[in-house]
Amino acid sequence: QVQLVESGGDLVQPGGSLRLSCAASGIIFSMYEMGWYRQGPGKQREQVATITRGSATNYADSVKGRFTISRDNAKNTVYLQMNSLKPEDTAVYYCSARHPIMVTRSWGQGTQVTVSS
């Protein structure tokens, strides 16, 4: 049973920082590409950042230079460090796990990030 549990979402002021965590269970974590997605009010879900089995990273242009994705295979956890937050970063942030070969994807329930003064 695959389970992804996000945490760390909060209300933060513009320019502030936040770190999201996603704890995974039910998978061999090290074999999966992990990612963070977000869905803002009235918007489609978009990819924010991904990290491969080998820790190669990819970022959306809108967050490049501000967000950092990382993983700790010993803890079965992926993180998203968010700095210099902007109001447009307000969204529900979802953790995702994708098996590169089996073409399967699992989703967490999401955690709310609100950037507002």
Side-chain angles (χ1 to χ4, degrees), residues 27 29-35 37 47 49-53 56 71 96-100 104-105:
I27 61 172
F29 183 79
S30 62
M31 300 300 293
Y32 282 74
E33 176 181 297
M34 304 298 296
Y37 292 69
Q47 183 177 290
T50 61
I51 184 165
T52 68
R53 296 158 58 185
R71 66 191 298 161
S96 178
R98 186 179 74 90
H99 195 287
T104 57
R105 185 181 290 279

Side-chain angles (χ1 to χ4, degrees), residues 2-82:
V2 180
Q3 187 173 20
L4 304 174
V5 181
E6 302 96 335
S7 62
D10 206 351
L11 171 65
V12 64
Q13 295 183 356
S17 297
L18 214 54
R19 188 185 72 169
L20 306 183
S21 299
C22 172
S25 61
I27 61 172
I28 303 176
F29 183 79
S30 62
M31 300 300 293
Y32 282 74
E33 176 181 297
M34 304 298 296
W36 287 97
Y37 292 69
R38 68 185 182 187
Q39 187 168 19
K43 300 178 181 179
Q44 296 182 24
R45 184 175 297 186
E46 64 174 339
Q47 183 177 290
V48 176
T50 61
I51 184 165
T52 68
R53 296 158 58 185
S55 295
T57 58
N58 186 50
Y59 298 93
D61 288 340
S62 59
V63 307
K64 196 170 298 181
R66 299 188 297 121
F67 291 10
T68 303
I69 188 172
S70 61
R71 66 191 298 161
D72 187 337
N73 289 346
K75 296 181 178 179
N76 283 14
T77 301
V78 63
Y79 304 94
L80 185 67
Q81 178 66 48
M82 304 184 294

